[in-house]
Amino acid sequence: SQQGEEDPQALSIQEGENATMNCSYKTSINNLQWYRQNSGRGLVHLILIRSNEREKHSGRLRVTLDTSKKSSSLLITASRAADTASYFCATDAGGGADGLTFGKGTHLIIQP
Amino acid sequence: DAGVIQSPRHEVTEMGQEVTLRCKPISGHNSLFWYRQTMMRGLELLIYFNNNVPIDDSGMPEDRFSAKMPNASFSTLKIQPSEPRDSAVYFCASSSVTGRGEIQFGAGSRLTVL
């Protein structure tokens, strides 16, 4: 079964708006990562947040982690058409060497 | 660095045929992963290697699937015989155990079994 579950499954917003995606997971983690996948491409790493961190920023991305609720959110501010993609959260209990467990993703569509 | 390189990018074959997917990980990375992606099941970890040694193959669906890593720069995923339900995109990914934990993916091999 999937460790991470993203919510919503699909999201469509206007360019310039903020996009928020959520991820819930079931077991204790070492870190949580977010990846982006453009259509027909492989996944690209966006940001990693460790279990002892609560918030992290990278450019227009903001990730939060609440280990008590076993949930994370990814916020993309000032969205652009190029942000259209699927976004996946992935949990890691083994420090990266043991593979990541991915959710099914949120498909984000930015309307120009 | 060219990133993780996979071949072929697309493969169309008939049921019963043998399929071999190839992967060249990023130089210096000592962990290699094979994932399968389908609409129904999402991304599934099939098997991973650390320092060329298979560590966990519990995700391999059945005996028709096998994976090898003869050296640090090459891995194969073989399906024999292939079935239509094996149709999916197969991703190879690699990471460094001394890194931050992020995994770098190849572009994937799209397999269609008729």
Side-chain angles (χ1 to χ4, degrees):
Chain A
S1 63
Q2 300 292 334
Q3 161 75 311
E5 294 289 343
E6 292 87 347
D7 169 57
Q9 289 187 332
L11 179 62
S12 178
I13 61 173
Q14 293 294 123
E15 193 168 20
E17 294 180 341
N18 295 342
T20 299
M21 290 158 274
N22 303 297
C23 169
S24 59
Y25 58 92
K26 297 174 183 174
T27 62
S28 296
I29 61 171
N30 187 54
N31 64 57
L32 184 143
Q33 305 181 36
W34 285 89
Y35 286 77
R36 182 186 71 214
Q37 184 180 31
N38 289 90
S39 180
R41 302 288 187 90
L43 281 75
V44 175
H45 179 265
L46 293 177
I47 195 166
L48 178 152
I49 186 166
R50 299 199 183 282
S51 58
N52 61 353
E53 297 176 313
R54 292 297 168 257
E55 187 171 310
K56 202 160 185 179
H57 297 253
S58 176
R60 293 185 295 113
L61 305 180
R62 181 172 79 97
V63 169
T64 62
L65 179 65
D66 187 335
T67 53
S68 66
K69 295 181 179 178
K70 292 186 169 59
S71 67
S72 173
S73 67
L74 171 66
L75 169 68
I76 303 175
T77 60
S79 63
R80 305 168 182 170
D83 295 329
T84 294
S86 291
Y87 292 83
F88 296 85
C89 70
T91 53
D92 173 10
D98 298 329
L100 299 175
T101 304
F102 287 83
K104 289 192 174 181
T106 292
H107 185 49
L108 175 65
I109 298 172
I110 308 299
Q111 307 278 4
Chain B
D1 196 323
V4 177
I5 299 173
Q6 292 187 245
S7 65
R9 288 296 313 277
H10 302 274
E11 173 96 7
V12 180
T13 190
E14 293 189 345
M15 183 173 63
Q17 296 297 306
E18 178 179 295
V19 173
T20 300
L21 307 178
R22 298 173 178 79
C23 174
K24 182 181 187 310
I26 291 174
S27 177
H29 280 189
N30 41 19
S31 293
L32 182 139
F33 311 89
W34 283 100
Y35 282 88
R36 177 173 69 176
Q37 186 177 37
T38 61
M39 288 293 292
M40 290 297 295
R41 300 174 68 89
L43 267 165
E44 303 172 280
L45 176 64
L46 301 178
I47 186 172
Y48 71 92
F49 297 81
N50 281 348
N51 296 317
N52 314 339
V53 177
I55 302 301
D56 184 357
D57 65 354
S58 59
M60 297 284 262
E62 16 187 309
D63 292 345
R64 298 183 296 106
F65 285 70
S66 62
K68 294 182 180 179
M69 191 165 186
N71 57 62
S73 59
F74 184 66
S75 177
T76 60
L77 178 67
K78 185 175 293 186
I79 308 172
Q80 166 64 16
S82 59
E83 296 182 3
R85 60 193 168 120
D86 301 331
S87 297
V89 181
Y90 291 81
F91 289 101
C92 177
S94 68
S95 72
S96 169
V97 294
T98 58
R100 297 178 303 144
E102 64 185 82
I103 290 178
Q104 297 194 28
F105 282 77
S109 293
R110 181 175 294 277
L111 173 65
T112 301
V113 182
L114 303 175

